[in-house]
Amino acid sequence: MAELATIARPYAEALFRVAKAGSLAAWSDLVSEMAQAAAHPDVKALAQNPALSDQQVASAFSSVLKTPLSIEAQNFINALVENGRLELLPEIATQFHALKNAQEGAADAEITSAFELNAAQLKDLVATLEKKFGRKLNPSVTVDSGLIGGVRVVVGDEVFDTSVRAKLQQLHVALAA
C-alpha cells in the first residue's frame, strides 16, 4: 500500500499543479471519474492487454469517460499508460483530493447514520461538525441501521461516534470489567 502511495504521489502533485491553473472543482470531478473508471475490472484487463498499443489503451480509456478531456487531461492519461501506471488512478485521486482539501482548509467527512438524513438535518449536522473539527467538511453520507440510532463521523484519523451501538459497547465493557 505504501509503495503505491509513493509511486502515485508525483503524479497527484503534478496533476494538482495543472488543476490549480484551471478549475480545481472541474479537475476534482474529472479525477474522481477517471479513478472510478480505472478501478473497473474490464478497464484493468484492457490496460494489461499486451496485444494493444499504448495509444489504443489510452484511446479506449478516454472513450469510457463521460467528461470530454482537455489536452492536459489526455496528456496525463497518455503518460500513465506509457509508464504502465493506469491502475494507480484510484490512489492518485485520493492524494489529489487530499491536496485539494489541504489548500481549501477542508476535510472529507464520512458520516454514517442509523437513518436517512434529509437535506435540513444534514446541513445542521455538517454545521455542528464544522465547528467541532474547526474546518470546512465535505460530507459523504451512508446509512447503517446497525447503529440503532445516532451517527458515526470519521474525519481523517478522528472518529466521533454518538451511535447507540457505540454507547451499548461502552456499557458492555464497563459492566464486564
Side-chain angles (χ1 to χ4, degrees):
M1 177 81 172
E3 184 177 306
L4 288 179
T6 303
I7 296 169
R9 185 172 299 111
Y11 291 101
E13 290 171 350
L15 189 60
F16 185 72
R17 283 192 300 274
V18 170
K20 283 196 318 187
S23 169
L24 198 54
W27 273 99
S28 179
D29 293 341
L30 177 61
V31 170
S32 295
E33 182 183 352
M34 288 191 300
Q36 186 176 13
H40 193 278
D42 291 341
V43 173
K44 287 181 179 179
L46 174 85
Q48 296 172 353
N49 187 340
L52 298 175
S53 70
D54 289 347
Q55 184 59 33
Q56 289 172 317
V57 172
S59 177
F61 181 77
S62 298
S63 69
V64 170
L65 303 173
K66 293 184 297 185
T67 307
L69 298 178
S70 65
I71 293 171
E72 294 91 352
Q74 188 61 55
N75 288 343
F76 181 71
I77 290 171
N78 291 340
L80 289 175
V81 171
E82 288 169 12
N83 293 311
R85 303 288 192 213
L86 196 60
E87 73 277 358
L88 287 179
L89 265 169
E91 179 61 29
I92 291 169
T94 300
Q95 292 189 26
F96 178 90
H97 292 298
L99 291 168
K100 178 180 176 276
N101 285 342
Q103 174 163 333
E104 296 173 345
D108 291 330
E110 297 173 20
I111 300 171
T112 306
S113 173
F115 303 99
E116 191 73 36
L117 298 174
N118 64 35
Q121 291 170 324
L122 180 60
K123 182 180 176 185
D124 291 343
L125 177 61
V126 169
T128 302
L129 292 170
E130 285 177 345
K131 288 178 187 173
K132 177 171 180 43
F133 288 102
R135 56 188 172 240
K136 183 182 178 318
L137 297 177
N138 304 316
S140 65
V141 181
T142 57
V143 176
D144 178 5
S145 60
L147 293 180
I148 305 169
V151 294
R152 181 176 194 271
V153 181
V154 179
V155 178
D157 60 354
E158 298 177 73
V159 178
F160 182 64
D161 195 344
T162 63
S163 68
V164 174
R165 181 174 65 191
K167 293 187 188 303
L168 288 173
Q169 286 173 343
Q170 290 172 348
L171 184 60
H172 173 73
V173 168
L175 291 173

